[in-house]
Amino acid sequence: MAQPCLCLLCGVLVCAWPESEAVVLTSAASPCDHCLLGTEATCRRAADQWSAALAEEPRDRAPSTAPVLSSLNDSRLLLEGAGKGTREHSGQPVLGGPSSSRVFPEVVPLNIGGAHFTTRLSTLRRYEDTMLAAMFSGRHYIPTDSEGRYFIDRDGTHFGDVLNFLRSGDLPPRERVRAVHKEAQYYAIGPLLEQLENMQPLKGEKVRQAFLGLMPYYKDHLERIVEIARLRAVQRKARFAKLKVCVFKEEMPVTPYECPLLSSLRFERSESDGQLFEHHCEVDVSFGPWEAVADVYDLLHCLVTDLSAQGLTVDHQCIGVCDKHLVNHYYCKRPIYEFKITWW
């Protein structure tokens, strides 16, 4: 027989755990700041499943299941009230919660990780499907500091930008877009996320990721560059490390020395002939080929950008081509770049 479990946020019955002989309703844990949205459907589904299971219980176990049925009825009353309009609490006490429905003042004092803010309750509830609207709906307990301010354990550096959007739709300047986007994700503010993702630099990042999506191995190879550079620097007790990286866009970077004219033509070959040209350049990491307008220099820019984002100092230069003999008069002409990673 499964055992029901109460929601960690509001105390509503939400799920059932693996088999257990005892039928016990678990007390709700202290609610966290990050209230999860959309739990009503989950609660109803779990309650229905639990009721059906209890109906099939032998009669000699009926006394042990009576409290559970009562709790399920309480849960349904809560859910019916929570699902209306602006999701205000129905007035029923929260199962296992710290207290019943809470009433907030019209002007709400906030303490966000030590940064103090004051705003209207209607501002926090402007978009109902957000974490802030759920927190200040009256259904959840919110701790207060010594001055009575409602406390959220989150860095408040960019919370002002979040409030400005809720108040009047104002958006942050470009240099704060990424940071505010992170806060909008935490507070689950969909309208703010949509607008930020249409601003630079996030809009440009979408385009860049579409290009990098052509190389599913990109992140793994990027990590390999960092790891190889780290190991070489440690082994040599050096301030920097160098490694060779091959970056080529086309699958056919080979030309015969005897026929320079063919370097500008696409070399047609059969599938069996293609196997003769398959090889691995003698480098540490290789990127390519890909089919897109973006060229080798665009990928090099991505590599430098992502390595620099990890706090590394990166320099690179082309040191020639692979020049490996393949078959007959054909040699590999994939470009080879030397990357210099400086650690301090």
Side-chain angles (χ1 to χ4, degrees):
M1 188 66 197
Q3 178 179 340
C5 176
L6 299 183
C7 176
L8 295 178
L9 299 177
C10 61
V12 177
L13 184 68
V14 293
C15 61
W17 290 94
E19 293 186 356
S20 173
E21 289 299 326
V23 179
V24 182
L25 278 173
T26 308
S27 299
S30 298
C32 64
D33 292 338
H34 204 319
C35 302
L36 299 177
L37 304 176
T39 58
E40 292 85 354
T42 306
C43 294
R44 290 192 182 95
R45 185 163 54 253
D48 292 340
Q49 293 173 351
W50 185 246
S51 296
L54 292 177
E56 299 178 358
E57 284 287 283
R59 293 187 176 181
D60 57 357
R61 296 189 60 178
S64 65
T65 60
V68 178
L69 289 173
S70 176
S71 296
L72 289 174
N73 291 332
D74 291 341
S75 295
R76 286 196 178 91
L77 288 175
L78 275 174
L79 294 173
E80 290 173 1
K84 296 179 181 179
T86 57
R87 299 190 177 189
E88 292 294 328
H89 198 274
S90 64
Q92 295 290 335
V94 177
L95 282 174
S99 68
S100 60
S101 179
R102 299 177 181 278
V103 178
F104 294 97
E106 183 178 356
V107 178
V108 181
L110 300 170
N111 180 345
I112 314 298
H116 295 173
F117 300 90
T118 304
T119 189
R120 294 174 62 91
L121 180 62
S122 59
T123 299
L124 298 173
R125 294 176 174 176
R126 183 171 300 277
Y127 300 103
E128 65 175 17
D129 292 329
T130 66
M131 189 192 101
L132 290 172
M135 290 180 67
F136 290 91
S137 65
R139 300 193 305 260
H140 309 301
Y141 168 77
I142 305 176
T144 56
D145 62 13
S146 59
E147 298 179 356
R149 295 179 176 272
Y150 295 100
F151 180 75
I152 298 177
D153 194 10
R154 178 79 175 175
D155 185 359
T157 302
H158 301 288
F159 189 76
D161 290 308
V162 173
L163 275 186
N164 286 337
F165 176 79
L166 295 176
R167 287 166 175 157
S168 55
D170 292 345
L171 296 172
R174 172 170 177 162
E175 60 269 18
R176 295 206 299 270
V177 166
R178 290 185 185 274
V180 177
H181 183 266
K182 186 176 180 181
E183 297 306 299
Q185 287 180 316
Y186 178 79
Y187 293 108
I189 306 176
L192 178 55
L193 286 170
E194 291 178 4
Q195 295 200 41
L196 291 176
E197 288 170 1
N198 284 321
M199 295 177 61
Q200 290 287 45
L202 295 182
K203 191 172 185 178
E205 181 62 18
K206 281 186 177 181
V207 178
R208 192 178 83 101
Q209 290 300 326
F211 163 55
L212 294 178
L214 298 175
M215 291 163 282
Y217 53 82
Y218 176 81
K219 289 185 178 180
D220 291 337
H221 286 200
L222 190 72
E223 293 177 1
R224 186 178 176 186
I225 289 176
V226 176
E227 184 62 16
I228 292 175
R230 184 188 67 82
L231 290 175
R232 288 182 181 172
V234 170
Q235 290 173 355
R236 301 173 183 177
K237 307 300 186 293
R239 180 168 169 256
F240 61 86
K242 295 181 179 180
L243 62 159
K244 293 181 180 180
V245 179
C246 177
V247 181
F248 64 99
K249 177 180 178 179
E250 297 180 351
E251 180 66 45
M252 191 56 215
V254 294
T255 57
Y257 280 128
E258 288 79 2
C259 301
L261 179 61
L262 292 180
S263 62
S264 61
L265 302 177
R266 184 171 182 83
F267 181 75
E268 300 295 338
R269 63 179 188 240
S270 65
E271 183 176 351
S272 59
D273 292 336
Q275 296 178 357
L276 298 175
F277 292 90
E278 291 181 358
H279 75 290
H280 297 284
C281 302
E282 295 180 358
V283 295
D284 298 298
V285 184
S286 183
F287 293 86
W290 65 86
E291 294 183 3
V293 175
D295 58 20
V296 168
Y297 298 103
D298 295 317
L299 182 57
L300 289 171
H301 182 272
C302 291
L303 290 171
V304 173
T305 298
D306 291 334
L307 290 171
S308 299
Q310 299 185 33
L312 301 173
T313 301
V314 185
D315 295 300
H316 70 281
Q317 61 177 345
C318 183
I319 58 175
V321 296
C322 174
D323 215 22
K324 182 178 181 179
H325 178 252
L326 300 178
V327 60
N328 296 332
H329 301 294
Y330 288 92
Y331 296 79
C332 176
K333 294 301 176 184
R334 294 172 181 171
I336 307 298
Y337 295 85
E338 182 182 72
F339 272 63
K340 178 181 178 182
I341 310 294
T342 302
W343 291 97
W344 84 85

